[in-house]
Amino acid sequence: MLRFGLRSKFILLSCFLFLLPWLGYEYVWEMEKFLRQGQEKTLVGTTRALATALHERPALFDEQTNFLDQVVKGRDLYAYNLKNPIQLDGKLNDWDSYQPLFWHYDKRYLQKTDNKHQASDLSFDHMVGKFDNYLYAVFKVTDNTLIYRAKNSLSITNNDYLQIGLKTPDGQFNTYIIAPRQDAWVNAFDANTKAPFTKIQGYFESTESGYNVELRFPISMLGNKLGFAIVDVDSKEALLEPKIMSTSNLNNPNDLGSVLVPSPEISRILKGMGHSGSRIWVVDNHHRVLAQSGTIQNADGVWADGLANQAPETWWQRFEQNYLHPIYYKILTRPENEFLDTLHDVASMQGTHLAKALKGQPASSWRLTPDSKAVILSAAYPIWIQDQVIGAVIAEETTNGVRTLRNKSLEKLFNVILAVMLIGTVTLFFFASRISNRIRRLRDTAEQAIDAQGRVTGSINYSDANDEIGDLSRSFSNIVSRLGGYTDYLENMSSRLSHELRTPVAVVRSSLENLQSLPQNELSQKYLDRASEGVERLGKIITTMSEATRLEQSIQSNEPEPFDLQKVINGCMQGYQLTYPNQLFTLDVCQNKLPMQGAPEFIAQLLDKLINNALEFSEVNTAINVSLTQSENKAILTVRNTGPALPEGLTEHIFDSMVSVRSQQMQQQPHLGLGLYIVRLVCDYHKGSVTAQNNEQADGVVFTVTLPLVNG
């Protein structure tokens, strides 16, 4: 039967928890790509809808400027939309925000080439703008010699002046001159009649490097051609020809540059699209902007509708906002509303999407802002008039709305992941706790089944669980059961052997005795003596084996009785001194009574084994030290001898059955390693303990028996 083990379960759970955030992130990333594709399609649809409103409406476009072969910047002027009306004071303060739009005119714009011309001789910065129904023009002129018009002079050209050339809406070409007598309010003069022309108003202000001129005149008097010229007269006395620096040639109406004023009609159409969430441009086929609506900072499309941050209402929302979001946004990036926009106020548009649209194909493109804080999507759609592309509609949006949607999705995803991880962690914790508890129970059962001396004292209840722990418990149960049977066999082997060997040994002994009663030659007698000696040794082995067996049986059936340990030890030691007169004993036995509960004959047998062991291992002419002391409610019996040290690693097993450290040379008598085993049995019966260790000088062994006392 196919089954999953514990390892497989952990691996599956770990893989699931590991894959969950990755799969969620990949899903959100794919969703963002689809949202971007949807935003792209939606934006192209927006441009298509607006272009549809502009198709086949030639009145909205000026034919003469729209079908120029080439638009030259500096010659062909563009009237930028001004945010506020300009105060005509010559200070140029109102033009500060438009400084990047100024066009610089230098010696390239001189009507007569002069390679020796310096910028300090004559140069100027210029732009035109539109507000309401007026066209504004500004000139920041650098001129090393400023010549005003004389107060009593009727001439308006024998001095520095500004010349204006334009075509009216009905195609008439007119020129005007601004020739100030001083820094003040100025009006233009008709260049042909020398009559004042009050529709053109302005202010003239001298500066350290030259002068400033600000002008204003109604857009209604302007057609599609416009040009300006700065005429520099360095001296009234000299006969030098004045220098003329102009935007275009004002002497020939056909050489005038074009002027493009944003279309009010198109602007009104765009105004209706101002709530689409996009920044929209309308350009002609020369890439010049005819109208513009909206700002890119607010152009996040319809994707961010309803996603504005709201004040948290529930405890979870407050917890999420105060604690989770700061963690999430160490990984995520918030959309930036403040970023660098290079197209906020331009006269000409560029881009592959616009190039394709002007060829008749809708297109879109993505670009990164210069400060890399935002991604802008641009879409362009062609405007058709009589099967000819006359211009294009361009719409732009940031991906902030899509990124906000992505962030919201990732926030929800992270919340779900945290919840799943928390639930998974708790589940794994309880799962691991359950497994560890089962393993701990199995460990405790295994430890209880085998005692410290390695005897099997119980059994293991196996589990029916179909996993590795269940298999392990069944294996342990089987092993303990087999070990128990083998241990019983070993424990009963000595008694069986002693019982089975006693009869044949008796037969052999009686036979040898009968043979010895008969006369034997010298060789036969020698063999009989050797056989008798072997039988005696075999008899002692059987006696020793029987002794251990009888002690175990006696322990099981003996009833404890009170006795004085001090009296038992004193009595035994007096007997040893008489039995071994050639052995020196040193005694240190306390004089107070040491009451115990147990069997005094067992204690005597214990001391017999320890003394016999000390006698066998003691060096000649060394004393055996025996001490008996009381420590709180325990009696401590120690037996010390000087002789060979215990081998390393054997101190814990020396009290096991059939363990001996005697060499072959020391074994003059049969020895089975049961003496110290009997010592341990007696200690266990009296709920005490026995230890063996080498002394501090490593030239002898110390046996320490600790026995519990009873209250007198």
Side-chain angles (χ1 to χ4, degrees), residues 462-572:
Y462 63 86
S463 171
D464 293 329
N466 195 23
D467 55 18
E468 282 85 349
I469 297 180
D471 286 344
L472 187 62
S473 69
R474 290 188 288 273
S475 297
F476 276 15
S477 177
N478 186 24
I479 291 171
V480 170
S481 176
R482 290 156 60 186
L483 282 176
Y486 185 66
T487 302
D488 288 340
Y489 169 75
L490 290 179
E491 290 177 347
N492 296 324
M493 184 175 65
S494 61
S495 61
R496 290 173 184 170
L497 284 175
S498 62
H499 176 74
E500 296 295 332
L501 291 175
R502 195 175 297 278
T503 299
V505 167
V507 172
V508 172
R509 180 181 287 116
S510 63
S511 299
L512 289 174
E513 290 175 351
N514 292 331
L515 284 174
Q516 286 181 341
S517 64
L518 298 176
Q520 302 288 336
N521 57 34
E522 184 178 353
L523 182 62
S524 298
Q525 187 64 40
K526 179 180 179 181
Y527 288 132
L528 284 174
D529 292 340
R530 292 175 62 182
S532 297
E533 183 180 349
V535 169
E536 284 298 322
R537 291 173 62 88
L538 187 59
K540 290 182 179 180
I541 291 174
I542 294 173
T543 300
T544 303
M545 294 171 61
S546 300
E547 182 182 9
T549 303
R550 286 196 303 273
L551 179 63
E552 290 178 346
Q553 294 173 351
S554 298
I555 287 175
Q556 293 176 359
S557 60
N558 186 75
E559 289 293 332
E561 63 181 62
F563 67 93
D564 183 5
L565 178 63
Q566 186 262 354
K567 184 177 180 181
V568 173
I569 298 299
N570 274 330
C572 290

Side-chain angles (χ1 to χ4, degrees), residues 92-227:
L92 306 189
N93 294 333
D94 295 339
W95 300 93
D96 287 343
S97 60
Y98 304 102
Q99 289 289 337
L101 305 177
F102 280 34
W103 187 259
H104 181 68
Y105 293 82
D106 51 20
K107 64 181 180 179
R108 296 172 298 169
Y109 293 90
L110 288 172
Q111 287 193 358
K112 290 187 178 182
T113 304
D114 183 1
N115 293 329
K116 296 182 180 181
H117 180 81
Q118 300 293 324
S120 59
D121 295 337
L122 181 64
S123 62
F124 67 94
D125 295 327
H126 162 65
M127 74 165 283
V128 293
K130 169 187 173 293
F131 183 82
D132 203 4
N133 296 320
Y134 287 93
L135 188 74
Y136 291 84
V138 61
F139 302 86
K140 185 178 181 181
V141 182
T142 299
D143 185 1
N144 54 7
T145 305
L146 174 58
I147 304 297
Y148 288 102
R149 180 164 65 94
K151 292 183 180 181
N152 297 324
S153 174
L154 297 177
S155 174
I156 58 175
T157 59
N158 193 23
N159 46 261
D160 293 343
Y161 62 90
L162 169 64
Q163 185 177 359
I164 306 169
L166 58 82
K167 273 190 176 182
T168 61
D170 57 6
Q172 183 179 353
F173 175 67
N174 294 328
T175 58
Y176 304 94
I177 292 176
I178 303 292
R181 287 194 175 97
Q182 59 183 3
D183 294 357
W185 185 270
V186 294
N187 290 108
F189 294 91
D190 190 304
N192 295 323
T193 64
K194 307 298 189 291
F197 189 77
T198 57
K199 287 186 178 182
I200 299 178
Q201 302 171 334
Y203 198 92
F204 185 94
E205 176 81 7
S206 61
T207 63
E208 293 181 359
S209 59
Y211 55 90
N212 298 332
V213 180
E214 291 179 311
L215 296 179
R216 180 185 68 186
F217 56 89
I219 292 178
S220 58
M221 64 178 288
L222 177 64
N224 57 6
K225 295 289 185 178
L226 177 64

